[in-house]
Amino acid sequence: MRQSELFTKTLKEIPKDEKSKNAELLIRAGFIYKEMAGVYSYLPLGLRVLNKINNIISEEMNAIGGQEIFMTCLQNPEIWQKTERWSDEIVDNWFKTRLKNDIELGLGFTHEEAVTSIMKNHVKSYKDLPCYVYQIQTKFRNELRPKSGIMRCREFLMKDLYSFSRTQDEHNNFYEKSKEAYMKIFTRLGLGEKTYLTFASGGVFSKYSHEFQTLSDAGEDLIYVDKNKKIAINKEVYSEEILTELGLEKNNLIEEKAIEVGNIFSLGKKYSEPLGLKYLDEEGKQQSVIMGSYGIGPGRVMGAIVEVNCDDKGMIWPKEIAPYQIHLISLAKTIEEKERTEEIYQKLLSLGQEVLFDDRENLSAGQKFADSDLIGIPLKYIVSTKTLAEESIEIKERKTGETKIIKIADLK
Ligand code: ATP
Ligand code: MG
């Protein structure tokens, strides 16, 4: 991509009401646009990052048997009435709308009801189970105070997987597998070290749920972390009882702020019973399906990655999800130098590299470097009169500032 053709520019100003670091940097670097509080659009560079996050999540969900679907945002009140989740007294963050004939609809804030209805058409016998379906799709939540940039939005993407099992054992087995898949995802996203499996409140059908919490001062949650055992407890369930149950010592725990990047829930028959999702077991008896739900917010993950990987100059993207791997910065002056820089760009493309090529005219080296630091691509490839005279390129790492010189002929 030629930066001269990229329609987004880096910006000096950010919206006055924007308080969060992730949104500030992403807006200034032209990755996102703030439509209103808690509502953001993704622009080319931001969308590339988001798609890479989604791909990693999809790969790991496919690897544990997830089948991808795409459900509607518009929700039929009837099914939500059956599970007693239609009322605004019970669910306080519904967005609701109306058809022309005045019938009310909801904009999905989650999809347990919808997916359970779909499965009723397809699950009849024990032979049809277990099965796992997921989507990466838009959710709407009328959040009271969206103050964490793209980490708490009123419209946001969620990867939500739902598991359908015959027995509690079968469910538990998948639940454990999902924990491993989640840790793989966060490791691939560069958040592995800072992300803790965290015990949280479980609702009616299991004692605990599990959250994946990434340590950061930008987080809205408080958790108690055992760094050696790599496990944490959310403040909301912290007690002597849980310490004993998990074999943790109070003295080994540190209180930390953290971002909930994902969570997994055992749902039992909470949705299958009221909605009538049943199967015939091997003895011909009707049984309700045992369910689980497994969420990750790709946008929140992206915000979390910015929060934990930035410095006073800008963002520092991990390689796996950087919008581009190489920021080729042209400081060429003469026509001949520009042509040679263009050849380097073409060569990198032919080598299959993802390159953002800063071919913009009339900008100082300082301005180009400042923009590059803000955007946060892992490697700068700097081409100048000096490097060209030596048939070389200067490579500078965004994260460490380390530089090295390589010969153009040695590019690979
Ligand atoms: P929180 O406790 O932060 O309000 P939640 O427990 O309601 O989130 P879930 O309903 O389980 O979250 O959603 C699954 C995942 O979706 C969360 O772990 C988070 O990554 C993401 N998510 C939830 N709410 C938002 C939001 N308002 N904006 C962006 N991502 C969100
Ligand atoms: Mg939560």
Side-chain angles (χ1 to χ4, degrees):
M1 180 79 210
R2 287 170 200 281
Q3 216 167 331
S4 62
E5 288 170 11
L6 185 67
F7 82 82
T8 59
K9 311 283 183 288
T10 58
L11 307 173
K12 296 238 155 44
E13 299 279 307
I14 57 152
K16 276 196 266 329
D17 62 342
E18 189 55 69
K19 299 277 184 293
S20 87
K21 188 85 195 157
N22 68 79
E24 180 202 318
L25 289 171
L26 289 163
I27 291 169
R28 277 180 49 213
F31 283 51
I32 60 169
Y33 171 75
K34 184 173 191 169
E35 194 70 40
M36 57 185 113
V39 184
Y40 298 88
S41 295
Y42 286 77
L43 308 181
L45 296 176
L47 186 58
R48 284 181 72 91
V49 174
L50 190 66
N51 284 336
K52 287 186 180 188
I53 295 171
N54 289 344
N55 282 342
I56 289 173
I57 296 174
S58 287
E59 280 174 21
E60 298 302 337
M61 293 298 100
N62 294 340
I64 56 170
Q67 301 181 37
E68 190 167 10
I69 62 171
F70 190 77
M71 286 183 268
T72 62
C73 293
L74 296 177
Q75 295 295 301
N76 180 351
E78 276 174 31
I79 55 173
W80 294 83
Q81 277 150 358
K82 287 188 185 149
T83 59
E84 290 176 7
R85 290 214 288 178
W86 181 249
S87 142
D88 293 313
E89 271 87 71
I90 292 167
V91 173
D92 63 3
N93 60 11
W94 265 120
F95 274 110
K96 291 180 179 170
T97 185
R98 281 178 190 281
L99 294 176
K100 292 278 184 213
N101 64 8
D102 228 28
I103 286 178
E104 236 186 343
L105 297 181
L107 302 180
F109 66 93
T110 183
H111 278 85
E112 281 83 5
E113 281 76 352
V115 75
T116 306
S117 300
I118 292 175
M119 297 319 276
K120 271 179 74 172
N121 278 348
H122 300 281
V123 170
K124 304 287 175 208
S125 115
Y126 68 94
K127 291 179 198 150
D128 301 326
L129 295 169
C131 72
Y132 316 106
V133 302
Y134 77 96
Q135 62 174 350
I136 297 177
Q137 189 257 11
T138 304
K139 303 281 186 264
F140 294 89
R141 291 185 186 180
N142 206 340
E143 301 273 1
L144 198 58
R145 268 181 292 278
K147 61 180 162 90
S148 300
I150 60 168
M151 301 198 297
R152 185 171 297 285
C153 299
R154 295 192 164 118
E155 176 184 341
F156 61 97
L157 274 190
M158 193 195 287
K159 183 287 297 175
D160 39 337
L161 183 142
Y162 302 91
S163 67
F164 302 88
S165 306
R166 291 169 285 202
T167 61
Q168 194 59 39
D169 273 356
E170 193 167 78
H171 167 78
N172 294 347
N173 193 9
F174 181 80
Y175 192 85
E176 291 309 311
K177 265 214 260 185
S178 80
K179 280 186 194 164
E180 283 167 32
Y182 268 43
M183 276 324 292
K184 267 194 211 159
I185 290 169
F186 296 119
T187 302
R188 288 182 64 183
L189 293 170
L191 294 175
E193 260 168 49
K194 289 202 153 100
T195 302
Y196 285 79
L197 178 73
T198 304
F199 286 73
S201 63
V204 192
F205 286 84
S206 64
K207 200 157 180 190
Y208 305 113
S209 68
H210 293 90
E211 296 172 339
F212 293 80
Q213 294 272 6
T214 304
L215 305 187
S216 162
D217 282 339
E220 295 181 16
D221 289 17
L222 274 181
I223 63 173
Y224 295 94
V225 180
D226 186 322
K227 294 210 168 165
N228 288 324
K229 295 197 168 148
K230 260 242 110 176
I231 196 171
I233 305 173
N234 194 310
K235 189 173 185 174
E236 66 188 19
V237 295
Y238 181 78
S239 67
E240 285 299 332
E241 189 197 338
I242 191 171
L243 287 179
T244 321
E245 253 177 72
L246 301 179
L248 297 176
E249 299 268 348
K250 206 174 191 164
N251 295 334
N252 298 335
L253 300 181
I254 318 170
E255 186 183 273
E256 296 264 15
K257 284 174 106 181
I259 302 161
E260 184 208 301
V261 283
N263 67 13
I264 58 176
F265 260 96
S266 291
L267 299 171
K269 302 173 181 172
K270 183 172 175 182
Y271 299 98
S272 57
E273 245 164 24
L275 293 166
L277 176 61
K278 294 195 175 81
Y279 71 97
L280 282 180
D281 70 12
E282 294 190 45
E283 275 121 45
K285 273 208 292 247
Q286 290 243 306
Q287 306 280 1
S288 289
V289 173
I290 311 280
M291 289 173 55
S293 71
Y294 311 78
I296 297 184
R300 184 178 291 183
V301 165
M302 181 167 158
I305 291 169
V306 173
E307 294 286 346
V308 303
N309 298 291
C310 66
D311 59 17
D312 51 2
K313 294 188 214 136
M315 302 182 285
I316 306 169
W317 292 104
K319 195 169 176 294
E320 276 238 48
I321 56 154
Y324 293 90
Q325 300 303 313
I326 295 172
H327 202 169
L328 176 62
I329 298 177
S330 170
L331 305 178
K333 295 206 175 71
T334 64
I335 290 180
E336 194 235 322
E337 283 170 6
K338 283 177 191 165
E339 279 169 7
R340 289 176 67 200
T341 313
E342 174 71 27
E343 279 167 26
I344 294 170
Y345 177 52
Q346 293 304 334
K347 180 158 183 194
L348 287 168
L349 292 184
S350 72
L351 290 167
Q353 298 279 11
E354 293 179 273
V355 188
L356 180 63
F357 178 22
D358 192 350
D359 59 341
R360 294 173 301 170
E361 306 272 351
N362 308 321
L363 280 179
S364 69
Q367 283 168 309
K368 288 194 171 191
F369 291 149
D371 278 357
S372 179
D373 284 337
L374 176 62
I375 291 170
I377 291 170
L379 297 172
K380 289 187 190 65
Y381 279 31
I382 303 158
V383 179
S384 64
T385 310
K386 186 168 155 253
T387 69
L388 285 170
E390 291 159 4
E391 286 295 327
S392 64
I393 298 172
E394 184 184 338
I395 299 183
K396 186 168 185 186
E397 241 183 80
R398 171 67 179 89
K399 190 168 177 184
T400 60
E402 275 169 28
T403 60
K404 64 176 181 197
I405 307 288
I406 64 156
K407 292 285 176 206
I408 296 168
D410 295 339
L411 278 179
K412 51 180 187 309

